[in-house]
Amino acid sequence: MNNPFKKDKKQVSIFVTAGYPEIDSLVPQLLQLQELGVDFAEVGIPFSDPMADGPVIQETSTIALQNGMKLELLLQQLEAAKDEIHIPLVLMGYLNPVLQFGLDAFLSRCQNLGIASLILPDLSLELYQTKYKAAFEKYSVPVTFLITPLTTDACVEQTAKACANSFVYLVGQNSITGQGYAISGALSTRYAELKQLCGDTPLFIGFGIDSKAKKETAFESVDGVIVGTAYLKAVKVGGEKEFLRGVM
């Protein structure tokens, strides 16, 4: 399988919450991201109990759910725009809604959409390998797992192997999304070690990337960045175009 996340240049991805700020905002946002040169987009599936997300993404998820966004509608919106969106799409959600939807039905729809990877933070690598790997492989839907700077070297290598057709998602520090922090020399050193441990599997960093300066610093150690909370804050005040031009 060709890995769409392997490129010769550093990459920028933006996280959007489906159904935020309006129920039909998803496709226009994705087309705008595509137009402005974003390498791939991460689409958040709104969930009422997002364990890995900070207050900003929690708020956008709550608003999206209040707007009426559901997994079925999200998929329908992407299916309607399938021929217009050319950048890789990554879906990020949680295991419970996917299982309620039906794992096979969901993965089949992902396959038809050409979803480049699926992130389920509450799906552990062990549970995936023992219970769900066959289903993901049946529908050729790659999976992405999260690591942190404290993840053991052995686990990083196992994770990178499981993500060989996608990428490894590095949580910049041990926290929920959107928590500000500085990339210190010690963190940069560890990021570079993690990058080496991932081998050929791309390593992208997220959770706290909020400026061009932090992006450039991260670029020195990893393959790219994923920007979520800072973008959603800009969306809230209608400043997303200006923000994107500043961070790209």
Side-chain angles (χ1 to χ4, degrees):
M1 179 183 292
N2 180 42
N3 186 341
F5 302 103
K6 285 186 179 179
K7 294 185 178 179
D8 294 331
K9 68 180 185 72
K10 303 293 183 179
Q11 300 182 55
V12 175
S13 174
I14 299 294
F15 174 97
V16 301
T17 300
Y20 176 83
E22 306 294 339
I23 188 69
D24 55 356
S25 296
L26 176 59
V27 170
Q29 284 189 85
L30 293 176
L31 293 174
Q32 180 171 266
L33 296 178
Q34 180 172 273
E35 179 184 347
L36 293 176
V38 168
D39 293 282
F40 66 95
E42 188 181 344
V43 177
I45 303 169
F47 184 48
S48 58
D49 188 21
M51 57 183 281
D53 297 320
V56 172
I57 294 181
Q58 286 185 30
E59 180 186 17
T60 62
S61 289
T62 298
I63 292 172
L65 291 171
Q66 291 171 344
N67 287 341
M69 178 52 69
K70 296 180 179 178
L71 185 50
E72 173 62 35
L73 178 58
L74 186 163
L75 294 170
Q76 289 177 7
Q77 290 180 348
L78 293 179
E79 286 162 355
K82 182 179 178 182
D83 294 337
E84 299 177 80
I85 300 171
H86 308 299
I87 56 174
L89 297 182
V90 176
L91 294 184
M92 178 174 177
Y94 292 88
L95 187 57
N96 187 39
V98 169
L99 294 180
Q100 287 194 354
F101 188 90
L103 182 61
D104 282 87
F106 178 67
L107 292 175
S108 177
R109 299 277 287 276
C110 288
Q111 182 183 39
N112 291 333
L113 276 167
I115 295 299
S117 191
L118 181 61
I119 305 173
L120 301 171
D122 54 345
L123 173 62
S124 69
L125 178 59
E126 180 181 11
L127 183 61
Y128 167 76
Q129 290 176 326
T130 56
K131 191 169 183 179
Y132 297 115
K133 182 180 178 182
F136 278 74
E137 291 182 344
K138 176 182 177 182
Y139 295 101
S140 300
V141 177
V143 66
T144 288
F145 288 103
L146 279 64
I147 63 171
T148 77
L150 298 181
T151 303
T152 65
D153 290 0
C155 186
V156 172
E157 291 177 335
Q158 293 173 6
T159 301
K161 185 177 180 181
C163 301
N165 293 319
S166 57
F167 63 92
V168 174
Y169 193 135
L170 170 59
V171 178
Q173 64 173 2
N174 288 347
S175 72
I176 56 177
T177 59
Q179 303 301 297
Y181 66 99
I183 299 179
S184 65
L187 274 178
S188 292
T189 299
R190 181 56 179 161
Y191 294 167
E193 291 173 351
L194 295 170
K195 164 68 181 155
Q196 188 170 16
L197 289 167
C198 285
D200 291 335
T201 304
L203 178 66
F204 298 126
I205 186 172
F207 285 52
I209 302 299
D210 55 8
S211 66
K212 187 171 185 176
K214 191 175 284 186
K215 178 198 77 171
E216 297 293 343
T217 301
F219 274 1
E220 295 174 7
S221 309
V222 299
D223 297 297
V225 299
I226 298 172
V227 181
T229 294
Y231 170 75
L232 292 172
K233 285 181 178 177
V235 171
K236 185 175 183 178
V237 297
E240 62 268 32
K241 274 191 174 181
E242 182 179 359
F243 172 79
L244 289 168
R245 291 187 179 115
V247 80
M248 292 297 293

